[in-house]
């Protein structure tokens, strides 16, 4: 019997791509990352993992019966339709200023993301 393996982290390439996308999108839309940057880090890592596994940044905070079908439908690919249309981010990645959980940051480093996700998977 094989020992359980820990989940693979996202590739550096896609983690950096999703980090840059998140920063640029927050700045362009006037939204902010969550005041708890560990939430931001986990969501960006999830987007990068989906990009690795599925080829698209499918929202990592939802349950899907068929992830491949959801990617093709594009509704939940980040930025998802609710975010684009109403600035409603289920993941709390992009928050409007009036949201109680909004921080004041629109930047996060790859080191902050890795430190947070490494701690959580240990």
């Amino acid at each position: 019997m094989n020992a359980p393996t820990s989940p693979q982290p996202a590739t550096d390439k896609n983690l950096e791509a999703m980090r840059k996308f998140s920063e640029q999108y927050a700045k362009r839309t006037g939204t902010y990352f969550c005041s708890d940057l560990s939430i931001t880090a986990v969501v960006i890592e999830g987007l990068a993992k989906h990009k690795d596994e599925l080829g698209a940044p499918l929202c990592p905070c939802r349950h899907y019966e068929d992830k491949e079908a959801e990617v093709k439908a594009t509704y939940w690919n980040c930025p998802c339709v609710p975010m684009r249309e109403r600035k409603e981010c289920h993941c709390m990645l992009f928050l409007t200023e009036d949201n109680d959980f909004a921080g004041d940051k629109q930047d996060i480093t790859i080191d902050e993301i890795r430190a947070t996700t490494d701690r959580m998977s240990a």
Side-chain angles (χ1 to χ4, degrees), residues 5-94:
T5 58
S6 61
Q8 289 295 317
T11 61
D12 288 344
K13 176 185 172 192
N14 282 330
L15 187 61
E16 182 62 9
M18 290 296 92
R19 184 192 70 77
K20 284 182 179 178
F21 156 76
S22 298
E23 289 180 350
Q24 291 168 351
Y25 192 79
K27 290 170 185 169
R28 191 168 73 244
T29 59
T31 56
Y32 296 88
F33 295 149
C34 185
S35 56
D36 179 352
L37 276 183
S38 69
I39 291 172
T40 303
V42 169
V43 172
I44 292 172
E45 169 84 7
L47 290 170
K49 281 183 173 185
H50 278 164
K51 196 152 171 60
D52 288 340
E53 297 164 4
L54 304 166
L58 184 65
C59 175
C61 301
R62 304 186 70 79
H63 171 75
Y64 309 97
E65 294 298 324
D66 183 343
K67 288 182 180 181
E68 288 82 8
E70 292 292 344
V71 164
K72 288 178 186 163
T74 73
Y75 188 89
W76 291 116
N77 292 348
C78 191
C80 65
V81 171
M83 181 60 207
R84 291 190 312 255
E85 290 182 351
R86 300 180 300 279
K87 288 191 178 178
E88 293 173 2
C89 182
H90 175 81
C91 298
M92 295 180 39
L93 179 58
F94 304 115

Side-chain angles (χ1 to χ4, degrees), residues 85-119:
E85 290 182 351
R86 300 180 300 279
K87 288 191 178 178
E88 293 173 2
C89 182
H90 175 81
C91 298
M92 295 180 39
L93 179 58
F94 304 115
L95 300 171
T96 55
E97 282 182 87
D98 61 343
N99 188 298
D100 291 342
F101 297 100
D104 59 359
K105 296 190 183 312
Q106 295 174 311
D107 297 289
I108 189 169
T109 67
I110 200 162
D111 291 337
E112 288 174 302
I113 295 169
R114 287 285 190 216
T116 298
T117 57
D118 288 350
R119 269 196 315 273

